[in-house]
Structures are given as C-alpha cells and as structure tokens.
Amino acid sequence: MEEEEIGFAPEEEPAAEDGSGWKFLIVDDDPDIHRVTRLVLGPETFEGRPLVFYSAYSAAEALELLRGHADFAVVLLDVVMETEDAGLRLARSIREELGNALVRIVLRTGQPGQAPESDVIRSYDINDYREKTELTSSKLFSTVYASVRAYRAAVELSRSQSRLEEAVRRRTQELEERGRQLEASIRSAYEAMAEVAVLEERGRIAREIHHSVGHTMTAAIVQLEAARRLLAAGEGDEAEAKVEIARQLARKGLEEIRGSVRAIAADSSVRRSAGEELEQVAREAEWASGVRVEASFGGLPPLSWYQARLLRDILREGLTNGIRHGGAQRFACRAEVEPSAEGGRRIALSLWNDGRWSGDAEPGFGLRALQGQLAEAGGSLTLAASARGGAELRAALPLPREAAAAASAEETASGARLRTVLPLSREPEAATALADGAAPSEAGEACDGAAASERADRSEPRSPGGGTP
C-alpha cells in the first residue's frame, strides 16, 4: 500500500473542514491506475484544498483503511479485484457495516458487462458509475470535483442536523423544566385554593350552626316561657314538663352542633337524602313547637351535602320565623323538581304558614344569609303575603347537570313526576290533597275541618317518635 501526504489523523474532523485537504481513496488492483490517478489529480485543488491520496489494492485493504478513517471524501472503487464482485461487496459494507453515508463512492470498472450500470445503480448505494475507458483526464477531474462538492454538502447537512437535534434536545429540556415549574405553580395555586375552600367551609359551618341551633333554641325559649307562666300560675307539674322539654331541646342543640361538624367530613354513602333531611326538620318542628306541618316532597334527585343542607336550612329558617314572628300554628310545604327558565332543572321549595304578616316586614339575619347563599348558587329566595292569608316563602335552587339528568331519567322511567307524601301529619285528607298536586292553600282547606277537633291535642308537643316527650 502506498500513501502520499501522511499525518491526517483518523480522529480529526473531515478534511473538508479542517483546511488540510480532502481524503481521497483509490481502490484498484492495478498499480497503473493509482499512478495515473495521482498524476491527473495531484496538482489540482478543490475549493482551495488539495487531495490527500490513500491507496488500497484489494477490498479488504480498503475496508481496513475505511475503518480507521471515517472522513474520506471520495472512494474511487474498482469492481473486479480479488473476486469478480469485490468492489460491489465493499460498497455495501461501507454503507451497511460501517454506516458511512457521507463518503461519495464512484464505481469504476473495466468490464462493464459483468456489472451492468442499470443493475448496479438499482442495487447498490453508490454515487456515480464510470467505465475506465471513458474516464479521460477532464472527465475524471469533473467527476471527482462534483463528488467532493456533494461530500461537503452532505457533511454540512449532517452537522446542521446534529445542531438541530441538539437545539431540540436543549429546547426539550427547557420545556421540561418549565413544565416542572408550572406543575409547582399549579400545586401552589391548588394549595391556596384549598386554604380558601377551608375558609369557605368554616363559613358554611358557622351558618349551619346558626340555622340549626337557632331553630332549636327558639323552641326551647318557647317552652321556658310557657314554664315561667305556668309557675306564676301555680301549676308546677305542667311547668316541670315544659322545663323537661326545654332540656331535651338544649341537648338536641348540642347534638346539632356536633352533627354539623361531623357531617362535613361524612361519607356521602351514609348521609340522608334531601327528602329525609326535610322530613326530619318538619317532624322536629311539630314535636318541639306543637305546630302542624303538612309536607309534600317530589322525587328529589341525589344532591350534594351542601345543597341538601341548604334546602334543610331554608325550611328550618322559614318554620322558625313563622313561629317566632308570625305566631303561625299551621304550615304547608312542598319541594319538587321543575324546569327552569334557562332550560335546565331546578328544585322549587315553597312554605306557607297561617301566621300574621306585615307588609313592611324585613327578612332577618338568617333569611338574608340564606338569600346570599342561594344567590351564589344561582338561585333565589322570596318572602311575601299569601293570597289566602298568612305568608309564603319560596326558594329556587338550580340543579347541577348530573342531578338534573338523574331527575329527568327518573321522570322518564316513571312516566310522571314522583311525589312522596311524608307522614308528618295525622290528617289523611291534607296528605291526599298535597299528593294530588294541590297548592298549599288547598291543602290547608282540606285539613281545616280536622284542625278544630285536634287543636286541643296540640297543646302537648309530640316527639319525633310519635309520643309525648
């Protein structure tokens, strides 16, 4: 093997870039081909850089040189050497075994019949095909010059691709870092929102305690006032009974406070339904205050704890206000699902009482707080005089999409709106009237006859269990 201009290390960058020259490999088993090629191309420079010649007289020698030098610009390759297809095998090895896609391979053959150009071009990854007889000095120069240019372009493209990949890698790292920062920011925002939610929940608990305990304490005050009057009249036994009722109410108020705190964290699977919550409020009002409560609650869908508690608080506050400020003795209430003006579904709650009504009466603290809560939920609450006397409280609470869908599915399955008449009253006529969809005033008329005969029994309040406490 012969070599001119030694000193080009394999580890260096390609010759086209370091200014020392372009590496040119001649692979042919004919020494004269090497001499003629060097003679023709030796004096030439390409883009200001000379050719650095390497010689190999077999495919095996060429493969070893190519293993050690990955920066050859051009390989001038003979086809027939130690075997008839040695050059073709070497071309395939350069591309597939060495993975060198940059070097330009110019196939040069003296026996074109053994390796037809069309077959070779289709089957092998080469860049040019020449017959030895046609490679004059000028054509050899043109072929090599074009190959060097193509090599230079391929190297620049490869390096541009590498730079692009590096830029993509850096950008990906930057985006990942920004993603981590965004995740941390979201986590901080979530924690802040959680703190706000805790504060809101504390406010809900405070309102819950006000609504529940206020109602219970009002009933206890009524009983204590009655006991004071009985004591003044010398009726000690009856006064003691009233004090016992007040004691039970005070104990119940304490239970309400504890229950409000426990219910916040309670599992939804063990919570009572909205209808059961409303039923419990009506029963407690009958027991604690001796009033009559007729109730009709439609097939209410599953509600969130907050929505169910809000409806319960509205009913409880309405009962408390009717007893305390209007002196009411009879109530009629209804809760059902109905279409809303916006095209959705809502729960409509109405509560009528037979108490005194003053047209200039302003809602108290409890009702104003409930108005604010309903407004936040997109609902409304009004208190006005009733056409048949007394007053009527009306509330509307929009249903969330899931609850509205459940209510619609329930109505579709049943074929009609479900109504459950809760056994809060001992007057079957009133219950039947409400079940048939009568207005609160009609329900009141249905039970007017029975009311007179039962008024005396109301002087002793009933417990939720059905007896006298």
Side-chain angles (χ1 to χ4, degrees):
M1 180 179 66
E2 298 181 7
E3 182 175 309
E4 292 185 3
E5 298 191 33
I6 303 175
F8 201 85
E11 294 81 6
E12 294 176 352
E13 294 295 318
E17 296 299 325
D18 64 11
S20 62
W22 308 95
K23 289 188 177 181
F24 188 93
L25 178 58
I26 306 170
V27 185
D28 202 301
D29 58 355
D30 185 353
D32 291 336
I33 296 296
H34 291 260
R35 280 194 302 271
V36 171
T37 303
R38 291 167 186 267
L39 182 63
V40 172
L41 299 176
E44 300 295 340
T45 59
F46 297 84
E47 299 186 359
R49 299 185 181 93
L51 289 179
V52 180
F53 293 96
Y54 290 77
S55 292
Y57 295 89
S58 66
E61 289 182 13
L63 190 59
E64 288 301 317
L65 277 171
L66 287 162
R67 289 185 197 277
H69 298 263
D71 53 351
F72 277 108
V74 182
V75 175
L76 194 61
L77 179 60
D78 189 15
V79 174
V80 180
M81 291 179 288
E82 60 265 44
T83 62
E84 292 183 352
D85 60 349
L88 298 177
R89 290 177 180 272
L90 177 59
R92 181 162 291 168
S93 297
I94 292 172
R95 301 301 191 203
E96 298 178 3
E97 181 182 341
L98 301 182
N100 189 337
L102 298 178
V103 64
R104 305 294 91 182
I105 301 175
V106 179
L107 204 63
R108 182 170 60 171
T109 180
Q111 303 176 35
Q114 293 184 353
E117 180 177 357
S118 58
D119 294 341
V120 172
I121 291 294
R122 277 196 301 266
S123 303
Y124 298 90
D125 185 4
I126 63 173
N127 304 103
D128 204 351
Y129 182 99
R130 297 290 179 180
E131 295 182 19
K132 291 182 179 180
T133 56
E134 69 171 331
L135 270 181
T136 61
S137 297
S138 59
K139 287 191 176 182
L140 180 60
F141 172 81
S142 299
T143 299
V144 173
Y145 202 101
S147 298
V148 170
R149 277 184 172 172
Y151 171 75
R152 181 184 181 88
V155 169
E156 291 177 351
L157 180 61
S158 176
R159 289 181 173 175
S160 296
Q161 182 177 356
S162 297
R163 287 192 295 268
L164 178 61
E165 290 175 353
E166 177 62 20
V168 170
R169 185 188 63 80
R170 288 196 303 269
R171 184 59 175 166
T172 301
Q173 290 179 343
E174 292 175 2
L175 291 176
E176 289 175 351
E177 179 61 26
R178 291 186 181 180
R180 286 190 290 269
Q181 294 174 357
L182 180 60
E183 183 179 356
S185 177
I186 292 174
R187 185 163 52 249
S188 298
Y190 175 80
E191 291 172 357
M193 292 173 62
E195 291 180 5
V196 172
V198 169
L199 294 175
E200 290 178 349
E201 197 63 25
R202 288 176 181 172
R204 291 194 189 104
I205 294 174
R207 292 191 296 268
E208 171 68 20
I209 292 174
H210 165 78
H211 296 315
S212 59
V213 179
H215 172 79
T216 304
M217 292 299 103
T218 296
I221 291 171
V222 170
Q223 298 298 326
L224 289 173
E225 288 290 337
R228 184 178 63 81
R229 289 193 298 270
L230 290 170
L231 284 173
E235 299 179 7
D237 292 342
E238 293 185 13
E240 184 178 352
K242 297 295 184 182
V243 171
E244 174 61 21
I245 293 175
R247 186 185 67 82
Q248 293 184 30
L249 288 169
R251 179 180 297 170
K252 179 179 177 297
L254 180 60
E255 289 294 329
E256 285 283 353
I257 294 174
R258 292 171 176 168
S260 295
V261 176
R262 287 195 302 266
I264 298 297
D267 186 351
S268 61
S269 63
V270 299
R271 295 176 191 155
R272 291 180 298 186
S273 67
E276 290 172 335
E277 289 277 0
L278 297 176
E279 176 186 7
Q280 183 66 21
V281 170
R283 286 186 182 278
E284 289 171 355
E286 287 191 323
W287 167 71
S289 304
V291 298
R292 180 189 305 155
V293 182
E294 306 297 338
S296 173
F297 302 119
L300 300 181
L303 301 176
S304 69
W305 174 86
Y306 178 67
Q307 291 170 324
R309 288 297 227 187
L310 186 55
L311 288 176
R312 188 204 67 174
D313 291 342
I314 292 169
L315 178 57
R316 176 172 284 165
E317 192 70 20
L319 291 168
T320 300
N321 277 268
I323 295 170
R324 179 189 300 169
H325 302 298
Q329 290 295 314
R330 192 173 74 223
F331 293 84
C333 59
R334 165 181 291 175
E336 61 184 349
V337 178
E338 65 180 20
S340 65
E342 295 76 17
R345 312 283 285 176
R346 69 179 186 180
I347 294 178
L349 174 68
S350 64
L351 175 65
W352 169 87
N353 70 67
D354 64 352
R356 299 181 302 275
W357 169 256
S358 175
D360 58 352
E362 291 290 334
F365 169 78
L367 285 179
R368 287 200 304 272
L370 289 169
Q371 279 180 326
Q373 290 177 256
L374 275 171
E376 291 176 1
S380 62
L381 186 147
T382 59
L383 178 63
S386 173
R388 67 176 299 270
E392 186 169 7
L393 180 72
R394 290 183 175 275
L397 177 64
L399 281 174
R401 184 178 302 174
E402 297 79 3
S408 299
E410 187 176 359
E411 289 183 11
T412 302
S414 63
R417 180 171 297 147
L418 299 178
R419 285 189 172 87
T420 303
V421 180
L422 302 176
L424 304 182
S425 171
R426 289 177 285 182
E427 287 76 33
E429 294 84 357
T432 303
L434 283 168
D436 292 338
S441 60
E442 297 169 349
E445 293 168 1
C447 64
D448 280 344
S453 62
E454 296 257 346
R455 185 68 70 181
D457 294 340
R458 295 293 179 175
S459 61
E460 289 295 332
R462 297 173 296 165
S463 68
T468 302

